[in-house]
Amino acid sequence: MLSYQHAYHAGNFADVHKHLTLYIVTDYLLRKKSAITYVDTHAGRGLYPLDAHETQRLQEYREGIWPLWQARAALEDSLLLTWLEAVAAAQISATGLTHYPGSPWWLGHSLREQDQLRLFELHPGEHKQLSAQALLPNAQRVFGDGLAGLAAMLPVVTPRLCVLIDPSYERKGEYQDVGDTVAYTLEKARHAVVLIWYPLLPAGHHHILLDALKESGLRKIWRSELRLQEPGEQSHGMFGSGMLVINPPWGLDKQLAGAMADVTPLLGATSRYQADWWVGE
Ligand code: SAM
């Protein structure tokens, strides 16, 4: 039984970190003409109205997209500004920030005629909402398990493959499941670019995923982490967001570091960004 719904968290600091990374990766991939299959294993609803009752309950976007949006006018020409212009393009009307675009929007937006996009979602309500979104015909929405669905698609027919894995980690076993699926994916598609999001929790469960990937023999894994604060002794909640990029495009490290140097101070005095090679280089 799935209880997680991303609408409660839409536009938070983790979404900003994840979608900015995704934007840089896809922007790079689009420089070549050869076709790409994109797979979003945990798609969610696609587009999130910020006035939805779920989103209003926690208002996490106020510590995420909101301060960046507010700072827009003062920003110099930069990657962050370009990304915020893309957020502006996702708005339904011209009355400011009313919607936050999820990963199906970010991937669907960069889709060309020769590319394919497959969006998996296992929650019936979320899948129904995703199905109601206007997307290009080469974006396919599948009601089903994203990790099994990805494995069943391999190898893909296009020369290139880009995968986003963004689970809700409601089960601790998901960290290992992600590690196993990624190892299998890279066995079948050696040059696939795979992005994985994980939460930083005081319990440190993400080390299960990090260790599994290190042991699986992958050659290049870039890790970046954004912390809103350091965890207190009594805290249980998510204090940071992590992204792994397997086979990262050349220059991702510098571009992301530059964008995050603009983002981090806008998220509060205690926020910190750090990045390194988890495997390779
Ligand atoms: N990727 C989305 C974005 O960036 O906008 C957010 C995804 S949210 C963190 C995780 C989603 O995965 C939820 O909508 C949840 O219903 C869905 N989910 C959970 N387990 C799944 C599974 N095994 N296969 C596919 N989707 C799943």
Side-chain angles (χ1 to χ4, degrees), residues 2 4-6 15 18-19 40-46 48 101-104 120-123 126 144-147 164 166-168 170 174:
L2 297 170
Y4 180 92
Q5 287 179 37
H6 196 65
D15 266 359
K18 170 177 54 187
H19 296 139
D40 188 349
T41 57
H42 298 73
R45 292 183 190 181
Y48 297 90
S103 52
F120 291 95
E121 175 53 56
L122 192 57
H123 189 294
E126 300 296 286
D145 180 78
L147 297 182
L164 172 66
D166 180 23
S168 37
E170 284 177 89
E174 279 183 274

Side-chain angles (χ1 to χ4, degrees), residues 4 6 8-18 58 60-61 63-64 166-169 175 197-206 225-232 234-243 267 270:
Y4 180 92
H6 196 65
Y8 286 96
H9 312 286
N12 68 4
F13 73 100
D15 266 359
V16 166
H17 178 215
K18 170 177 54 187
L58 303 172
E60 291 188 6
Y61 64 89
E63 287 194 322
D166 180 23
S168 37
Y169 297 102
Y175 293 95
W197 180 83
Y198 57 88
L200 293 176
L201 300 165
H205 295 320
H206 65 286
E225 293 184 348
L226 172 64
R227 290 170 162 73
L228 268 200
Q229 70 263 313
E230 291 309 317
Q234 301 300 319
S235 64
H236 300 285
M238 180 172 81
F239 63 89
S241 155
M243 281 299 287
L267 297 183
T270 57

Side-chain angles (χ1 to χ4, degrees), residues 2 16 30 89 98 119 155 158 170 189 210:
L2 297 170
V16 166
L30 291 171
T98 58
L119 302 160
T158 53
E170 284 177 89
L210 293 176

